Amino acid sequence: MSTFQAPKGTYDLLPPESAAFLAVRDALAAPLRTSGYGYIETPGFENVELFARGVGESTDIVTKEMYAFETKGGDRIALRPEGTAGTLRATLEANLHRQGNLPVKLWYSGSYYRYEAPQKGRYRHFSQIGAEAIGTEDPALDAELILLADRAYRSLGLRGFRILLNSLGDQECRPLYREALQTFLRGLDLDEETLRRAEINPLRVLDDKRADVRRQLTGAPLLQDYLCAACKTYHEEVRALLTAEDVAFEDDPKLVRGLDYYTRTTFEFVHDGLGAQSAVGGGGRYDGLSEMIGGPSLPSVGWALGVDRTVLALEAEGITLDLPPATSVFAVPLGDEARRVLFTKVNELRRAGVAADFSYGGKGLKGAMKNAHRSGARYALVAGERDLVEGVVQLKDMESGEQTAVALDRITAEVTSRL
Ligand code: ATP
Ligand code: MG
């Protein structure tokens, strides 16, 4: 034990469990990589204003959850709480949207930081896989992203999730709804802060998780009754495309999301085995964001999937991923000559694609075999002086204990044929 512990709300990913985490991250990204999305990496921190403007001044993320600070040079910086604003900032800065190929389709993977009350599935440092399709308004693009996330979750074996879908309208119809909702909210018994929020961004009140607030929201006007014709048609098309692909979704007229910049399509993937932290991923259309951060009009759509919560969802469904073994062959040399020979053989096996490890530190047979067992290897390669004189190595099956002498120059062939 050292004097230090991981900061509150964070946890360390350690082997062997970290292998599953890595596999989840890969699986969530895999469908994107074969669907025209290019990989983007942006800094872990940005100018705090980017988030204030991009995520929204009235959101919990900006008002309560951001790690913001001033640098020694006087810059106002925030650790990124989400990936969309930085991705769009980078796109605009590099003029990716002017290279004639819209939409600009990007995916990313990384760490995000929010100063939240830590609980299971809610951390101050967490991982997301994100995807953004920038610069095109097309319901097929919204549908594509929902399909890709659905496929990603399914590829992991997850079945206990649901897709919630809604439309948030656009600059034409949302103001009318906003006013109607505001009038409704003013008549409720709400605390000061919530009333203030109702004045700044009433839609956010619909996202309130407190039971007494939720109860009062039962009769709230619904956006679907206020959608303009263009938004309605757009939304119907997204729904039809999903239905044609056999993807089940639930219309959730109260679904709004924590970020201000969403317009039209909005969706969330929720898992029923996760308790209060049920959202494993979410996203939607953000047609106004580019202009909010000083860019041209670039209607866009994207999502972010939570890696940590997806791992928890697997646990909740009792799914163990079928991962390749960390070590298939463990070499146990007895003596200096054997050490040199087996070291070469281990490298040969690795070049042939076999996961192989070696007993370091000049251990005796007993200690080295203990390491071999702990490594989870299927086979041990044991060699002592007498074996080398005969030009062989003992290939030991760690499950059956059965041992076979294999000629030195046949080892890689023998091992690969058995694995
Ligand atoms: P919630 O309503 O649970 O706070 P959110 O709407 O703030 O979620 P998004 O900003 O949409 O979440 O982020 C996308 C995904 O990232 C979420 O669906 C969730 O899986 C994950 N996520 C968000 N915040 C956290 C966190 N603090 N810890 C772990 N995962 C998180
Ligand atoms: Mg949140």
Side-chain angles (χ1 to χ4, degrees):
M1 262 289 270
S2 91
T3 332
F4 300 104
Q5 290 177 340
K8 187 175 169 197
T10 71
Y11 63 97
D12 301 309
L13 272 171
L14 306 168
E17 291 77 22
S18 52
F21 197 94
L22 210 53
V24 165
R25 196 181 261 157
D26 284 348
L28 294 180
L32 300 167
R33 304 177 69 169
T34 51
S35 305
Y37 291 76
Y39 179 65
I40 182 170
E41 212 168 296
T42 62
F45 54 84
E46 298 271 357
N47 186 318
V48 67
E49 265 306 298
L50 173 69
F51 300 119
R53 283 211 241 159
V55 179
E57 307 269 13
S58 74
T59 61
D60 280 350
I61 293 182
V62 169
T63 55
K64 297 184 195 153
E65 299 173 3
M66 217 151 51
Y67 282 91
F69 55 97
E70 193 172 313
T71 65
K72 290 197 175 91
D75 294 327
R76 293 276 300 148
I77 290 292
L79 300 186
R80 59 181 179 191
E82 56 92 55
T84 305
T87 299
L88 192 57
R89 192 270 306 142
T91 300
L92 294 171
E93 191 172 336
N95 277 316
L96 297 185
H97 60 295
R98 292 226 220 121
Q99 288 161 17
N101 218 5
L102 293 179
V104 178
K105 300 210 291 186
L106 302 167
W107 75 274
Y108 52 83
S109 165
S111 292
Y112 297 85
Y113 307 86
R114 293 183 195 177
Y115 189 72
E116 304 210 59
Q119 44 202 299
K120 188 161 193 197
R122 190 175 296 287
Y123 310 106
R124 291 181 173 179
H125 165 263
F126 59 98
S127 287
Q128 287 183 342
I129 294 289
E132 316 288 350
I134 297 163
T136 303
E137 192 177 76
D138 185 337
L141 207 48
D142 307 37
E144 168 176 288
L145 278 162
I146 294 171
L147 288 169
L148 291 172
D150 180 71
R151 240 180 73 204
Y153 289 130
R154 282 180 189 284
S155 76
L156 288 163
L158 287 173
R159 295 295 179 266
F161 65 89
R162 293 176 291 131
I163 302 173
L164 308 181
L165 186 68
N166 194 19
S167 171
L168 295 180
D170 62 7
Q171 40 319 359
E172 196 180 311
C173 52
R174 194 150 67 186
L176 297 175
Y177 172 68
R178 197 188 134 98
E179 233 177 88
L181 181 62
Q182 235 158 19
T183 308
F184 173 84
L185 293 175
R186 283 180 194 132
L188 300 184
D189 178 24
L190 300 170
D191 58 281
E192 277 295 306
E193 195 194 331
T194 312
L195 282 172
R196 214 174 315 123
R197 174 176 286 170
E199 294 309 314
I200 307 168
N201 191 345
L203 268 74
R204 298 261 312 111
V205 180
L206 294 181
D207 202 21
D208 205 305
K209 305 225 158 60
R210 291 170 297 179
D212 66 309
V213 179
R214 299 216 69 82
R215 208 171 322 110
Q216 296 191 66
L217 289 172
T218 316
L222 298 177
L223 223 164
Q224 65 190 31
D225 299 328
Y226 289 78
L227 290 184
C228 62
C231 283
K232 230 180 244 168
T233 309
Y234 193 96
H235 197 56
E236 280 315 310
E237 182 63 13
V238 174
R239 296 176 77 256
L241 289 166
L242 292 176
T243 304
E245 294 297 320
D246 278 330
V247 167
F249 57 85
E250 294 168 26
D251 292 306
D252 182 350
K254 285 218 179 81
L255 178 71
V256 292
R257 299 186 19 82
L259 290 68
D260 275 354
Y261 52 61
Y262 285 102
T263 49
R264 288 197 171 170
T265 313
T266 188
F267 52 86
E268 209 160 79
F269 286 77
V270 293
H271 194 281
D272 294 323
L274 295 185
Q277 273 58 251
S278 61
V280 287
R285 186 152 273 287
Y286 50 94
D287 291 346
L289 177 60
S290 173
E291 284 146 307
M292 275 185 219
I293 63 168
S297 164
L298 285 175
S300 308
V301 56
W303 52 236
L305 312 184
V307 181
D308 311 71
R309 286 189 200 170
T310 305
V311 172
L312 293 175
L314 287 170
E315 280 168 23
E317 285 196 40
I319 298 170
T320 320
L321 298 177
D322 191 13
L323 301 175
T327 306
S328 296
V329 177
F330 196 91
V332 175
L334 305 170
D336 282 346
E337 180 58 16
R339 191 165 55 90
R340 281 188 284 272
V341 171
L342 283 191
F343 187 70
T344 300
K345 285 297 153 195
V346 162
N347 288 316
E348 188 181 305
L349 283 165
R350 288 174 177 171
R351 283 195 296 276
V354 177
D357 203 358
F358 188 83
S359 174
Y360 290 101
K363 292 187 187 70
L365 181 63
K366 212 168 144 204
M369 284 310 287
K370 213 183 247 171
N371 288 164
H373 275 290
R374 281 212 191 106
S375 78
R378 183 83 172 78
Y379 296 101
L381 272 185
V382 188
E385 260 171 53
R386 223 183 35 221
D387 297 309
L388 296 182
V389 171
E390 290 170 19
V392 299
V393 160
Q394 302 298 325
L395 182 65
K396 183 171 177 167
D397 186 318
M398 298 295 281
E399 267 166 38
S400 66
E402 186 194 323
Q403 198 163 297
T404 325
V406 180
L408 272 175
D409 58 357
R410 292 280 313 146
I411 291 169
T412 297
E414 178 66 24
V415 167
T416 45
S417 81
R418 286 197 191 198
L419 284 174

